[in-house]
Every structure is written in C-alpha cells, then in structure tokens.
Amino acid sequence: METRDIKFRGRRKDNGQFAYGYLFEIWDQAYILWGMTNGVPDMTEVFPDTVTQSTNFTDKNGKEIYGGHVLLLHNTTITNVVIYDIEKGGWMLKFGRSVTYRLTKERALEHEIVGNIY
C-alpha cells in the first residue's frame, strides 16, 4: 500500500510568501510547521483562509499542485482552479462556476501551474 504525506501551504503573515509543511491550528490561528530545532518546532503563522492541501500530484514541469492553484491546460488558453469537492470525494478542476472534471495523476501532467487564487 502506497503512503503519502499530507502537506499544506499557507501565505505567511510576516512576509506574504508561501510556507510549506504540516498544518497546526489552534483557536482561529494557523501555523505551518516544517521541522524541529533543538526540540522546538520550526513554524510560522499563516493566514488561515489561504491554507490549502497538497494534491500529491505534479504539473508537467514537476511542480507540486495544491488546492487553489490555477492550472493551464497544455496547448490551450483554458485555465482551471484546483478545488477539493467533498461530495465527489476528490480533487477537481473548476472552470468558471462549474466543475469540469476530476484531477488525476495523469491529467495533472497535462497542465501547468500559472498562478493561484491567493
């Protein structure tokens, strides 16, 4: 059975850049943790509304795809936003107001990350 990391990203409150790692939430605050130094977690506070999970897929350039990424379909001008659809139980691509199709490992390789909604 294949295991996978459950990784997150969020926009840092201190400098606006994305932090990548594990999510820790307490009350209405969110933190991304990426390691330990002398037994103390290395973490940074992020804006909770920018936290998204990794799909564990990569685009055609080998970049890891997260929820909220805007993907360009190969050789077209069609862009889609990556969302997680609870009802359908998976990562989906959304174009405008409608969900177009499920994102799979193979389909992810046909796309390129061109931005994000955050």
Side-chain angles (χ1 to χ4, degrees):
M1 180 176 180
E2 182 180 340
T3 61
R4 64 184 188 104
D5 285 333
I6 300 175
K7 295 182 285 183
F8 294 86
R9 72 174 187 159
R11 195 170 290 281
R12 296 171 61 129
K13 283 192 169 184
D14 62 353
N15 66 13
Q17 299 295 312
F18 278 103
Y20 297 83
Y22 301 97
L23 178 62
F24 173 72
E25 293 178 294
I26 186 166
W27 295 289
D28 59 353
Q29 296 170 302
Y31 299 86
I32 298 292
L33 292 83
W34 61 86
M36 299 281 281
T37 302
N38 297 323
V40 177
D42 294 321
M43 63 183 177
T44 188
E45 189 173 3
V46 296
F47 294 103
D49 60 339
T50 67
V51 174
T52 58
Q53 187 174 339
S54 171
T55 64
N56 285 306
F57 302 138
T58 57
D59 74 354
K60 71 177 194 172
N61 297 315
K63 291 184 176 182
E64 191 168 10
I65 299 172
Y66 283 80
H69 266 140
V70 177
L71 304 181
L72 177 67
L73 181 59
H74 179 67
N75 291 331
T76 70
T77 59
I78 299 171
T79 58
N80 297 281
V81 175
V82 178
I83 63 165
Y84 188 83
D85 190 315
I86 293 173
E87 291 178 7
K88 293 184 175 139
W91 292 103
M92 306 297 285
L93 292 176
K94 182 178 178 185
F95 179 76
R97 292 180 184 238
S98 62
V99 173
T100 52
Y101 56 85
R102 181 178 298 275
L103 183 63
T104 63
K105 182 178 183 177
E106 293 75 26
R107 286 183 176 158
L109 294 172
E110 299 171 355
H111 292 79
E112 178 179 13
I113 297 170
V114 293
N116 69 80
I117 61 173
Y118 304 108

